[in-house]
Amino acid sequence: MKALVLQNGQLHVREIETPVLGPDDVSVQLKVAGLNRRDLYIPSRVGNEDTPLILGSDGAGIVDAVGENVTNWKPGDEVIINPALRWDKNSDAPPVGFDILGMPDHGTIAEKIVIDKKQLQHKPAYLSWEEAGVLALAALTGYRALVTKGQVKEGETVFIPGAGSGVATYIIQFAKALGAKVIVTSRSARKRDAALEIGADIAIDTNDDWVGALQNESIDLVIDSVGRATFNRSLDVLRHGGRMVVFGATTEDIVNIDIRKFFYAQQQIIGSTMGSREELEELLTLMEEKKIRPVVGHTYELDHVKEAMELLEMNDQFGKIAIAIS
């Protein structure tokens, strides 16, 4: 089968042996895979390993074979892949054994994937293959940050620095569906306009004075994935007693904080990452009820996946990048 393979520090789209189907496994003929920022970082984390690794965490396709112990799936079922491995029930933190699909396990940017029967969910019928293929990782990350960890409530105001990421596009829509007011930032006027189109109430320039621009707002919850570049600016606009959930660091990881200012304001800083199968099922129910659609900014063929990765590295996209497999 054809796949995006990392080997000896190099990425190639090439033929690789199809994985063997185990008794508790399901084989899925993938239609679309989703590209995520972690796919950019994995080559530097893996290094020059000789063992080939298929990248990719998101995907959707059609079941074409099942193992002898599998009774809940059958050939022809349309499914999405859950990339949160071995995390079934919602918990305060991931359990021992949790991994994200695409390292160390083979991922989704391939013609087929063989995966444990627990890692599949039915594809929502109203979604296109492109929408379904980019859904799980970003939606699950955003849902846990906003709902499970952020405890968003109807009538609250949510602030999201960086409006263009795939996760941000889900958070905007989830927050609006749950009755919150949403404020976002972006340096790009195009992205600010796009965020308003999918439900954001206010979109400000990242380079603006946030305190001045939001002086008439009371920010209850910040969802931040940028890191050092926005961390303290986000705390500056968060109301006293407010919550800040951090799930990423696309800029530098290490931040300095005025700890006295922080504890006097009695703010909360909460870490989050990915989510459980239980949360994925909850968010799929919410999406179906509210007919929330993933935002697909670009679609590339598998043979052009490196161009897709270059676009993602430039951070010029709004929403998710889909890789059409077949």
Side-chain angles (χ1 to χ4, degrees):
M1 67 177 186
K2 187 185 289 187
L4 175 64
V5 178
L6 173 66
Q7 188 174 22
N8 298 320
Q10 301 295 315
L11 284 171
H12 302 282
V13 176
R14 65 173 178 83
E15 292 293 325
I16 190 170
E17 187 175 344
T18 303
V20 176
L21 185 70
D24 294 307
D25 292 336
V26 176
S27 173
V28 179
Q29 183 78 44
L30 289 157
K31 302 283 284 183
V32 174
L35 195 62
N36 291 285
R37 191 159 292 276
R38 75 184 303 266
D39 298 314
L40 300 179
Y41 305 148
I42 285 174
S44 62
R45 292 170 61 188
V46 171
N48 293 317
E49 289 287 335
D50 184 56
T51 304
L53 173 68
I54 299 172
L55 296 191
S57 301
D58 280 325
I62 300 173
V63 173
D64 64 359
V66 300
E68 60 188 54
N69 295 339
V70 178
T71 58
N72 56 332
W73 300 106
K74 64 183 186 303
D77 285 344
E78 297 184 350
V79 297
I80 61 172
I81 308 298
N82 173 9
L85 303 178
R86 297 172 288 278
W87 189 0
D88 294 333
K89 295 294 184 181
N90 187 2
S91 53
D92 289 339
V96 174
F98 164 73
D99 279 311
I100 300 173
L101 187 65
M103 187 190 77
D105 302 70
H106 279 318
T108 57
I109 306 178
E111 291 179 325
K112 281 190 178 185
I113 187 170
V114 171
I115 194 164
D116 188 276
K117 60 187 178 183
K118 292 183 179 180
Q119 298 303 134
L120 301 179
Q121 297 289 329
H122 287 286
K123 171 186 171 290
Y126 74 99
L127 297 182
S128 69
W129 282 113
E130 286 76 15
E131 291 167 333
V134 303
L135 194 157
L137 186 143
L140 185 52
T141 299
Y143 184 86
R144 181 171 175 86
L146 178 73
V147 178
T148 306
K149 292 294 189 178
Q151 294 288 297
V152 69
K153 300 175 184 65
E154 184 176 0
E156 289 192 321
T157 297
V158 179
F159 180 67
I160 309 165
S165 75
V167 179
T169 60
Y170 285 108
I171 295 173
I172 291 167
Q173 296 182 86
F174 291 160
K176 291 303 296 179
L178 295 169
K181 182 177 183 178
V182 177
I183 303 172
V184 301
T185 78
S186 178
R187 291 184 177 84
S188 164
R190 173 179 61 85
K191 292 183 182 181
R192 294 196 297 272
D193 289 343
L196 293 170
E197 287 179 10
I198 64 169
D201 297 283
I202 299 172
I204 64 174
D205 193 318
T206 301
N207 295 319
D208 285 349
D209 171 13
W210 292 1
V211 173
L214 302 175
Q215 59 183 328
N216 296 321
E217 303 292 337
S218 178
I219 308 298
D220 301 289
L221 174 62
V222 173
I223 309 288
D224 193 300
S225 65
V226 181
R228 183 175 179 178
T230 59
F231 186 87
N232 282 296
R233 298 182 73 193
S234 293
L235 282 180
D236 286 342
V237 299
L238 181 63
R239 69 166 175 83
H240 286 199
R243 293 112 51 213
M244 178 173 169
V245 178
V246 180
F247 69 85
T250 54
T251 59
E252 293 181 58
D253 294 354
I254 307 300
V255 300
N256 295 316
I257 181 173
D258 183 337
I259 195 69
R260 186 175 301 276
K261 181 179 177 182
F262 167 69
F263 69 68
Y264 267 120
Q266 299 199 33
Q267 296 162 324
Q268 301 175 59
I269 301 174
I270 305 161
S272 185
T273 188
M274 286 293 288
S276 63
R277 177 164 53 89
E278 185 176 9
E279 289 162 298
L280 179 58
E281 291 169 353
E282 289 174 4
L283 76 86
L284 288 171
T285 298
L286 176 66
M287 290 183 68
E288 294 221 41
E289 287 178 352
K290 303 293 185 178
K291 291 296 181 281
I292 294 172
R293 307 191 81 101
V295 177
V296 182
H298 301 269
T299 301
Y300 288 81
E301 298 293 326
L302 177 57
D303 287 336
H304 299 286
V305 66
K306 289 186 180 180
E307 295 173 29
M309 297 181 79
E310 289 170 3
L311 174 67
L312 184 60
E313 192 162 21
M314 290 189 296
N315 200 29
D316 194 40
Q317 85 290 350
F318 183 85
K320 297 292 298 177
I321 298 175
I323 307 300
I325 306 295
S326 61

